[in-house]
Amino acid sequence: MDRKKFIKTCGIGCVGMLGGLSLLQSCAGTKYITGQITGSSLLVPLSSFEEEKKGEKAFRRYVVVQNEKLEYPICVYRFSDTDFSAVLMRCTHQGTELQVFGDRLQCPAHGSEFSSTGAVQNGPADKSLRKFLIEKENDMLKIDLS
């Protein structure tokens, strides 16, 4: 195989692989919802975590909550029926909006990584994410924004 054909084949393979990876990532899918703000609380229905898998009720590990009054979205993790974590998706290094990858949040600007509870896992960020108090009332989560 000559050099030109090799480079063309490798290029096509790389593009195909990137396309395949993006399709796989979209299969998992991050669920974005619009939360309602009442007073100083952001309301998130518990039903936002529900999904159906193979005909059975299952639960998402997290949802991303947006509202036009919020500068950055909030990622809400569900660990159990009673244990939740809500963190502001703003990198503490330079303020870039974070991306969610399962149990971690990552900054696309400089690679800082944070856990689902907001703790720094990898720098250059050196401060944890802003966390919010959560109160569960009936079928709703109330996230305290104050």
Side-chain angles (χ1 to χ4, degrees):
M1 178 184 300
D2 67 356
R3 183 174 186 267
K4 189 174 184 179
K5 188 174 182 182
F6 175 77
I7 291 172
K8 182 179 179 183
T9 302
C10 288
I12 291 171
C14 287
V15 169
M17 190 167 55
L18 288 173
L21 286 174
S22 67
L23 286 175
L24 286 176
Q25 188 176 5
S26 66
C27 288
T30 298
K31 183 171 183 179
Y32 292 88
I33 66 166
T34 300
Q36 178 185 350
I37 295 179
T38 303
S40 63
S41 295
L42 177 64
L43 304 179
V44 178
L46 286 172
S47 61
S48 303
F49 292 92
E50 294 176 5
E51 63 181 343
E52 192 171 314
K53 285 189 178 179
K54 298 179 183 179
E56 294 187 21
K57 185 177 175 180
F59 295 94
R60 294 179 175 277
R61 290 185 297 176
Y62 63 89
V63 295
V64 175
V65 186
Q66 302 171 320
N67 184 291
E68 62 186 25
K69 294 179 182 176
L70 297 174
E71 187 175 355
Y72 293 90
I74 294 173
C75 189
V76 182
Y77 283 93
R78 179 187 185 275
F79 303 114
S80 71
D81 287 343
T82 58
D83 191 17
F84 297 88
S85 169
V87 294
L88 187 65
M89 294 178 62
R90 179 186 187 271
C91 184
T92 56
H93 176 235
Q94 290 187 342
T96 303
E97 186 173 316
L98 300 172
Q99 298 171 334
V100 186
F101 295 99
D103 289 338
R104 65 186 170 87
L105 296 110
Q106 186 176 48
C107 179
H110 298 106
S112 293
E113 290 187 4
F114 302 88
S115 72
S116 56
T117 58
V120 177
Q121 300 294 301
N122 197 20
D126 60 357
K127 294 179 188 169
S128 295
L129 298 177
R130 179 177 175 198
K131 295 188 279 188
F132 299 92
L133 294 175
I134 301 174
E135 185 179 329
K136 183 178 171 187
E137 282 188 8
N138 301 321
D139 60 347
M140 196 72 68
L141 292 179
K142 288 177 69 174
I143 299 170
D144 185 0
L145 299 176
S146 59

